[in-house]
């Protein structure tokens, strides 16, 4: 009897743990970190395109990093209620992320598509094409920020 | 009313005006589209900084009607204008309000832009002078004011259309040719070559300042200093 009770208690806590795997504060931190890390890699690509000494390896590393984050399912970090809260800084996620799902899905898919394309173009080592694709990819970041990231 | 032809807007004022108009439209379009155009946005913005500073100097050193002191809109002048008592050439007191408003707004727009960032891969050339937090806030200001600015520009153009159709006054032609028909004032004087050189020199200095070229460059890490992992 006693062990059964213990067992069910254990089961309950474990189930709870599975649901609350990511604390809201951490979810906000993780998504902010993801975007910030992508921004670093965008800048790396940009420096290679602009600087005149294009380093294909650098660009491939950066593009692959962006592609990996883009395909990591970051949508899971937008837990209900985390339009408010503080991660590394107060969140700038706008409330319409949780309501305007159709539009959000569209801009997110566009972003994924261009991030995948970026990795492909980077692998060719064609500096001019990388520059063009960087603009397209950056445009999809902006496409989401315009509607779903709060202005300060 | 004597009707004669006068020289109203000197060439530098007219050039400034049309260059500014074209640049602001280009800045709004490139800012809203983003992508790689944000690079052009920054360059156009720096040009606008130069144009604005040029105009500020020209407002002191330029010819008669280009001078701020000539058209500064005091409350008395505005009252007189609204009751139909105002006489004069150049900017009327309400137009003058719009001129000062636009210039002030553009100065803040350029200033905030120079310190802004797009959270993607572009930062204003002077953004390193402030913290990221301040830069983010100024980016918000930049966004907000860009909408106010678009409103003011629309108002500006609407007022000119109003003068053309309702008041039967063509304000565009003098801003193109410099000459105004049926005027009741004297032709503009002053704003000679030397004044132009001074204004241009100060404007170029402003462009240099805005470009951030004077900021210490961060040297790229030497080969071998970057770990291979
Ligand atoms: C490669 C493309 C992207 C880059 C470089 C980028 C960059 C950034 C950066 C630097 C931040 C600030 C992070 C911080 O506060 O430290 C941010 C925040 C944000 N971005 Fe992006 N982003 C990109 C794509 C996207 C996409 C596609 C979306 C739409 C799903 C998006 C939505 C957001 C949101 C909602 C925030 C606020 C997050 C929060 O504070 O909780 N971003 N982004
Ligand atoms: C009078 C001149 C300028 C005008 C009319 C202007 C207008 C605009 C507009 C309409 C946007 C899009 C705002 C949005 O939709 O969020 C924008 C964004 C931006 N501008 Fe400007 N701008 C000017 C000068 C500058 C300058 C001089 C710089 C820096 C060199 C600059 C840097 C930026 C940046 C970084 C953004 C992106 C902000 C974001 O994505 O959140 N701007 N500007």
């Amino acid at each position: 009897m006693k062990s059964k009770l213990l067992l069910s208690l254990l089961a309950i806590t474990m189930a709870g743990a599975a649901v609350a795997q990511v604390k809201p504060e951490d979810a906000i931190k993780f998504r902010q970190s993801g975007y910030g890390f992508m921004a670093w890699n965008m800048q790396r690509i940009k420096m290679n395109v602009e600087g005149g000494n294009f380093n294909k390896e650098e660009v491939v590393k950066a593009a692959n990093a962006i592609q990996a984050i883009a395909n990591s399912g970051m949508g899971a970090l937008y837990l209900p209620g985390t339009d408010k809260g503080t991660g590394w800084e107060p969140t700038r996620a706008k409330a319409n992320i949780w309501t305007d799902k159709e539009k959000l899905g569209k801009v997110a898919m566009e972003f994924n598509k261009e991030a995948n394309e970026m990795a492909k173009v980077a692998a060719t080592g064609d500096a001019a094409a990388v520059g063009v694709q960087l603009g397209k990819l950056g445009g999809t970041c902006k496409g989401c920020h315009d509607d779903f990231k709060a202005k300060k | 009313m004597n009707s004669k032809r006068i020289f109203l807007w000197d060439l530098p004022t007219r050039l400034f005006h049309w260059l500014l108009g074209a640049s602001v439209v280009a800045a709004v379009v490139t800012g809203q589209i983003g992508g790689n155009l944000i690079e052009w946005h920054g360059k156009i913005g720096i040009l606008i900084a130069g144009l604005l500073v040029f105009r500020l100097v020209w407002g002191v050193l330029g010819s008669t009607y280009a001078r701020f002191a000539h058209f500064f809109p005091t409350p008395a002048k505005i009252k007189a204008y609204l009751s139909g008592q105002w006489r004069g050439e150049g900017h009327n007191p309400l137009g003058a309000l719009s001129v000062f408003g636009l210039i002030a707004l553009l100065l803040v727009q350029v200033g905030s832009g120079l310190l802004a960032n797009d959270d993607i891969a572009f930062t204003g050339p002077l953004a390193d002078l402030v913290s990221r937090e301040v830069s983010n806030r100024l980016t918000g200001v930049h966004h907000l004011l860009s909408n106010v600015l678009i409103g003011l520009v629309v108002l500006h153009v609407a007022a000119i259309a109003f003068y053309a159709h309702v008041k039967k006054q063509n304000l565009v032609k003098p801003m193109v040719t410099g000459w105004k028909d049926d005027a009741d004032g004297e032709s503009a004087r002053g704003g000679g070559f030397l004044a132009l050189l001074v204004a241009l020199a100060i404007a170029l200095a402003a462009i240099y300042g805005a470009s951030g070229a004077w900021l210490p460059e961060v040297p790229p890490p030497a080969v071998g200093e970057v770990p291979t992992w």
Side-chain angles (χ1 to χ4, degrees):
Chain A
M1 187 63 209
K2 209 174 175 190
S3 63
K4 248 192 183 164
L5 193 71
L6 259 180
L7 215 66
S8 50
L9 262 178
L10 196 70
I12 289 169
T13 36
M14 276 175 62
V19 170
Q21 222 171 27
V22 182
K23 283 189 286 176
E25 184 199 324
D26 288 338
I28 298 174
K29 274 188 184 169
F30 289 147
R31 67 199 190 207
Q32 289 174 341
S33 301
Y35 294 127
F37 194 66
M38 285 197 289
W40 174 54
N41 285 290
M42 293 292 281
Q43 280 160 29
R44 277 168 98 184
I45 299 178
K46 181 173 150 173
M47 272 158 63
N48 274 281
V49 172
E50 279 180 354
N53 50 350
F54 185 85
N55 180 334
K56 182 183 162 187
E57 258 175 61
E58 272 285 298
V59 172
V60 167
K61 278 186 208 167
N64 288 347
I66 294 169
Q67 184 186 33
I69 295 175
N71 291 293
S72 68
M74 276 180 81
L77 294 173
Y78 290 88
L79 303 178
T82 55
D83 58 324
K84 295 199 177 57
T86 299
W88 301 115
E89 60 169 358
T91 183
R92 285 186 267 163
K94 276 169 76 169
N96 60 348
I97 287 178
W98 288 266
T99 52
D100 199 353
K101 294 205 166 126
E102 198 176 320
K103 174 139 199 210
L104 178 65
K106 227 182 94 200
V107 296
M109 289 313 290
E110 255 157 51
F111 163 62
N112 275 24
K113 185 178 138 246
E114 299 301 348
N116 290 334
E117 188 62 26
M118 180 83 250
K120 270 193 220 149
V121 176
T124 68
D126 177 344
V130 166
V132 173
Q133 185 56 27
L134 182 69
K136 283 193 194 157
L137 177 55
T140 64
C141 307
K142 178 170 161 62
C144 185
H145 290 176
D146 281 351
D147 290 319
F148 297 106
K149 190 185 79 175
K151 314 276 184 292
K152 282 240 171 168
Chain B
M1 210 218 240
N2 49 358
S3 56
K4 59 178 179 190
R5 200 162 170 262
I6 64 162
F7 186 60
L8 188 63
W9 301 121
D10 57 43
L11 182 64
T13 304
R14 284 176 280 145
L15 273 181
F16 158 81
H17 176 265
W18 296 114
L19 278 175
L20 182 74
S23 314
V24 167
V25 170
V28 168
V29 171
T30 53
Q32 291 193 343
I33 295 178
N36 279 343
L37 285 180
I38 194 72
E39 301 295 329
W40 284 100
H41 183 79
K43 294 195 172 95
I44 295 163
I46 292 169
L47 172 68
I48 295 177
L51 287 170
L52 290 172
V53 168
F54 174 85
R55 186 63 184 94
L56 290 182
V57 180
W58 204 241
V60 179
L61 301 182
S63 73
T64 314
Y65 299 100
R67 292 193 180 174
F68 297 141
H70 177 82
F71 60 82
F72 193 81
T74 59
K77 278 202 220 167
I78 293 173
K79 240 166 108 185
Y81 180 73
L82 290 176
S83 56
Q85 305 292 306
W86 183 81
R87 289 276 165 279
E89 290 301 338
H91 293 302
N92 70 51
L94 276 191
L97 263 188
S98 134
V99 171
F100 282 110
L102 271 169
I103 290 181
L105 192 62
L106 282 168
L107 283 171
V108 182
Q109 187 69 18
V110 164
S112 61
L114 293 173
L115 300 168
N117 71 82
D118 72 351
D119 256 351
I120 301 172
F122 182 82
T123 44
L126 303 184
D128 283 350
L129 295 176
V130 298
S131 69
R132 187 71 178 188
E133 168 69 19
V134 169
S135 173
N136 286 345
R137 284 194 185 278
L138 289 172
T139 304
V141 169
H142 195 72
H143 167 79
L144 189 75
L145 286 188
S146 73
N147 293 321
V148 178
L149 182 65
I150 293 168
L152 265 193
V153 170
V154 169
L155 193 67
H156 176 75
V157 175
I160 287 157
F162 172 79
Y163 273 85
H165 293 289
V166 180
K167 298 190 105 182
K168 304 287 172 215
Q169 273 187 48
N170 185 343
L171 301 182
V172 177
K173 195 175 142 231
M175 195 49 92
V176 174
T177 66
W179 292 87
K180 179 171 191 234
D181 300 324
D182 302 327
D184 56 16
E186 299 299 323
S187 272
R189 290 150 182 271
F193 187 63
L194 191 65
L196 182 61
L197 278 189
V198 172
L200 280 178
I202 298 177
L204 281 179
I207 288 182
Y208 177 74
S211 75
W214 49 277
L215 285 171
E217 243 186 86
V218 189
V223 190
E225 268 180 39
V226 186
T228 46
W229 49 268

